[in-house]
Amino acid sequence: MNLNRLAYFAAVVDAGSFTRAAERLGITKAVVSQQVARLERDVETTLLIRTTRRVHPTEAGRTFHARCLQVLQQAEDAFDELAQAAAEPTGTLRIAAPNDYGTSAVVPVVTAFSARYPACRVELTLGDETIDLASGGMDVAIRVGWLADSSLQARRVGTFRQFMVCGAEFAGRFTAGEPQDLAGLPFVANMALREPLLWQFSHGDAEQTVRMQATIAIDATPAVLAAVRAGAGLSVLPDFLLRDELAAGRLVQILPEWQLPSGGIYTVYPAARFRPPKVTRFVEMLVAAGQRMG
């Protein structure tokens, strides 16, 4: 049974005319007439009496019309309930994020999300390894840096800059005029990166590539930050970890006139046609938080 034909039939009875019914429905009179005729063939009953001036329902048509109104109202209510349910995130939202960005930026958003949508539970997995979203059962992952080609769907939600930094006390032990002067200094290598020792600096048209010598190698970015803060040496860290450190003077940016490559912050999803409300609402809040931080 084509339920659209019920709507066409009910419109004809309510309007008393195929022409007025077609105008209400926004389709042609021919389509309405054709679909109602097919409905009568489906039910093997004459539902309408057609005259030159008006269309009247038969006795069977009046009974059927009352039933149609009930069915159409129930269908409308079902769609309304579905839309209302979709508007509020429910269930469990599973997120994967790297340790550094996850701790500094995602955790505050997750906290605000949970307060706003208490019917939705959040599971946040932090780690610097790349998690397979499909096998890991994740709804969304945050990736920081440069995306490799992938079958996953991705959205860029922000950017970050990288700074060469060290502790304030350590900065007083040396003088550097250009990046090459840094090559022999103590360096804390972040082994979570693909190239933890090779860094390309740019200043206007000038470029210098420097290979640092690791005195300490650590595989987690927050731990690299802790080592640098403790005076272990230089390292390159993202700006979202350094705002408070630089503002408080605990860390110092080295050669600020020389720029290191910037990167992107992305949300990635398993391939799907639609995103559930829990995902779209969380990403909206993540983007808004990033914009506030500047």
Side-chain angles (χ1 to χ4, degrees), residues 204-217:
D205 295 331
E207 292 187 356
Q208 290 189 22
T209 300
V210 180
R211 180 172 290 278
M212 305 298 292
Q213 302 298 317
T215 51
I216 299 176

PDB file of all heavy atoms in Angstrom, residues 204-217:
ATOM      1  N   GLY A 204      60.398  34.901   6.656  1.00  0.00           N
ATOM      2  CA  GLY A 204      60.294  35.554   5.354  1.00  0.00           C
ATOM      3  C   GLY A 204      60.618  34.552   4.262  1.00  0.00           C
ATOM      4  O   GLY A 204      60.022  33.475   4.185  1.00  0.00           O
ATOM      5  N   ASP A 205      61.576  34.878   3.419  1.00  0.00           N
ATOM      6  CA  ASP A 205      61.996  33.969   2.352  1.00  0.00           C
ATOM      7  C   ASP A 205      63.078  32.991   2.796  1.00  0.00           C
ATOM      8  O   ASP A 205      63.431  32.079   2.042  1.00  0.00           O
ATOM      9  CB  ASP A 205      62.512  34.769   1.143  1.00  0.00           C
ATOM     10  CG  ASP A 205      61.417  35.612   0.500  1.00  0.00           C
ATOM     11  OD1 ASP A 205      60.244  35.198   0.596  1.00  0.00           O
ATOM     12  OD2 ASP A 205      61.742  36.672  -0.075  1.00  0.00           O
ATOM     13  N   ALA A 206      63.618  33.184   3.980  1.00  0.00           N
ATOM     14  CA  ALA A 206      64.705  32.326   4.454  1.00  0.00           C
ATOM     15  C   ALA A 206      64.148  31.060   5.103  1.00  0.00           C
ATOM     16  O   ALA A 206      63.128  31.095   5.797  1.00  0.00           O
ATOM     17  CB  ALA A 206      65.567  33.082   5.451  1.00  0.00           C
ATOM     18  N   GLU A 207      64.821  29.945   4.881  1.00  0.00           N
ATOM     19  CA  GLU A 207      64.443  28.672   5.496  1.00  0.00           C
ATOM     20  C   GLU A 207      65.691  27.967   6.014  1.00  0.00           C
ATOM     21  O   GLU A 207      66.752  28.034   5.391  1.00  0.00           O
ATOM     22  CB  GLU A 207      63.727  27.765   4.493  1.00  0.00           C
ATOM     23  CG  GLU A 207      62.354  28.263   4.071  1.00  0.00           C
ATOM     24  CD  GLU A 207      61.626  27.248   3.211  1.00  0.00           C
ATOM     25  OE1 GLU A 207      62.228  26.195   2.892  1.00  0.00           O
ATOM     26  OE2 GLU A 207      60.449  27.497   2.875  1.00  0.00           O
ATOM     27  N   GLN A 208      65.548  27.319   7.143  1.00  0.00           N
ATOM     28  CA  GLN A 208      66.637  26.506   7.698  1.00  0.00           C
ATOM     29  C   GLN A 208      66.042  25.223   8.264  1.00  0.00           C
ATOM     30  O   GLN A 208      65.027  25.262   8.972  1.00  0.00           O
ATOM     31  CB  GLN A 208      67.396  27.258   8.801  1.00  0.00           C
ATOM     32  CG  GLN A 208      68.240  28.411   8.321  1.00  0.00           C
ATOM     33  CD  GLN A 208      69.127  28.971   9.423  1.00  0.00           C
ATOM     34  OE1 GLN A 208      69.424  28.293  10.422  1.00  0.00           O
ATOM     35  NE2 GLN A 208      69.558  30.216   9.253  1.00  0.00           N
ATOM     36  N   THR A 209      66.689  24.104   7.949  1.00  0.00           N
ATOM     37  CA  THR A 209      66.285  22.816   8.503  1.00  0.00           C
ATOM     38  C   THR A 209      67.347  22.389   9.512  1.00  0.00           C
ATOM     39  O   THR A 209      68.540  22.349   9.197  1.00  0.00           O
ATOM     40  CB  THR A 209      66.143  21.761   7.402  1.00  0.00           C
ATOM     41  OG1 THR A 209      65.152  22.184   6.472  1.00  0.00           O
ATOM     42  CG2 THR A 209      65.738  20.417   7.995  1.00  0.00           C
ATOM     43  N   VAL A 210      66.901  22.073  10.707  1.00  0.00           N
ATOM     44  CA  VAL A 210      67.819  21.760  11.807  1.00  0.00           C
ATOM     45  C   VAL A 210      67.508  20.359  12.326  1.00  0.00           C
ATOM     46  O   VAL A 210      66.343  20.030  12.578  1.00  0.00           O
ATOM     47  CB  VAL A 210      67.674  22.777  12.958  1.00  0.00           C
ATOM     48  CG1 VAL A 210      68.638  22.438  14.089  1.00  0.00           C
ATOM     49  CG2 VAL A 210      67.903  24.193  12.453  1.00  0.00           C
ATOM     50  N   ARG A 211      68.551  19.553  12.466  1.00  0.00           N
ATOM     51  CA  ARG A 211      68.397  18.239  13.101  1.00  0.00           C
ATOM     52  C   ARG A 211      68.918  18.348  14.539  1.00  0.00           C
ATOM     53  O   ARG A 211      70.100  18.576  14.768  1.00  0.00           O
ATOM     54  CB  ARG A 211      69.158  17.164  12.336  1.00  0.00           C
ATOM     55  CG  ARG A 211      69.017  15.768  12.983  1.00  0.00           C
ATOM     56  CD  ARG A 211      69.611  14.682  12.123  1.00  0.00           C
ATOM     57  NE  ARG A 211      68.823  14.452  10.934  1.00  0.00           N
ATOM     58  CZ  ARG A 211      67.723  13.703  10.874  1.00  0.00           C
ATOM     59  NH1 ARG A 211      67.265  13.124  11.983  1.00  0.00           N
ATOM     60  NH2 ARG A 211      67.089  13.546   9.739  1.00  0.00           N
ATOM     61  N   MET A 212      68.021  18.192  15.473  1.00  0.00           N
ATOM     62  CA  MET A 212      68.379  18.286  16.881  1.00  0.00           C
ATOM     63  C   MET A 212      68.957  16.963  17.364  1.00  0.00           C
ATOM     64  O   MET A 212      68.736  15.899  16.763  1.00  0.00           O
ATOM     65  CB  MET A 212      67.143  18.657  17.711  1.00  0.00           C
ATOM     66  CG  MET A 212      66.426  19.919  17.253  1.00  0.00           C
ATOM     67  SD  MET A 212      67.427  21.418  17.357  1.00  0.00           S
ATOM     68  CE  MET A 212      67.589  21.577  19.142  1.00  0.00           C
ATOM     69  N   GLN A 213      69.679  17.014  18.471  1.00  0.00           N
ATOM     70  CA  GLN A 213      70.261  15.824  19.087  1.00  0.00           C
ATOM     71  C   GLN A 213      69.530  15.566  20.406  1.00  0.00           C
ATOM     72  O   GLN A 213      69.587  16.387  21.321  1.00  0.00           O
ATOM     73  CB  GLN A 213      71.757  16.023  19.324  1.00  0.00           C
ATOM     74  CG  GLN A 213      72.551  16.341  18.077  1.00  0.00           C
ATOM     75  CD  GLN A 213      72.492  15.203  17.064  1.00  0.00           C
ATOM     76  OE1 GLN A 213      72.601  14.026  17.422  1.00  0.00           O
ATOM     77  NE2 GLN A 213      72.314  15.560  15.800  1.00  0.00           N
ATOM     78  N   ALA A 214      68.841  14.434  20.475  1.00  0.00           N
ATOM     79  CA  ALA A 214      68.028  14.156  21.661  1.00  0.00           C
ATOM     80  C   ALA A 214      68.891  13.747  22.842  1.00  0.00           C
ATOM     81  O   ALA A 214      69.693  12.804  22.754  1.00  0.00           O
ATOM     82  CB  ALA A 214      67.016  13.070  21.355  1.00  0.00           C
ATOM     83  N   THR A 215      68.727  14.453  23.940  1.00  0.00           N
ATOM     84  CA  THR A 215      69.335  14.028  25.199  1.00  0.00           C
ATOM     85  C   THR A 215      68.322  13.222  26.021  1.00  0.00           C
ATOM     86  O   THR A 215      68.701  12.371  26.827  1.00  0.00           O
ATOM     87  CB  THR A 215      69.794  15.247  26.011  1.00  0.00           C
ATOM     88  OG1 THR A 215      68.708  16.177  26.125  1.00  0.00           O
ATOM     89  CG2 THR A 215      70.953  15.934  25.313  1.00  0.00           C
ATOM     90  N   ILE A 216      67.039  13.486  25.792  1.00  0.00           N
ATOM     91  CA  ILE A 216      65.948  12.731  26.417  1.00  0.00           C
ATOM     92  C   ILE A 216      64.905  12.475  25.341  1.00  0.00           C
ATOM     93  O   ILE A 216      64.592  13.371  24.552  1.00  0.00           O
ATOM     94  CB  ILE A 216      65.305  13.504  27.596  1.00  0.00           C
ATOM     95  CG1 ILE A 216      66.343  13.781  28.690  1.00  0.00           C
ATOM     96  CG2 ILE A 216      64.121  12.734  28.166  1.00  0.00           C
ATOM     97  CD1 ILE A 216      65.793  14.634  29.832  1.00  0.00           C
ATOM     98  N   ALA A 217      64.351  11.284  25.291  1.00  0.00           N
ATOM     99  CA  ALA A 217      63.279  10.948  24.360  1.00  0.00           C
ATOM    100  C   ALA A 217      62.082  10.433  25.153  1.00  0.00           C
ATOM    101  O   ALA A 217      62.220   9.531  25.984  1.00  0.00           O
ATOM    102  CB  ALA A 217      63.744   9.898  23.354  1.00  0.00           C
TER     103      ALA A 217
END
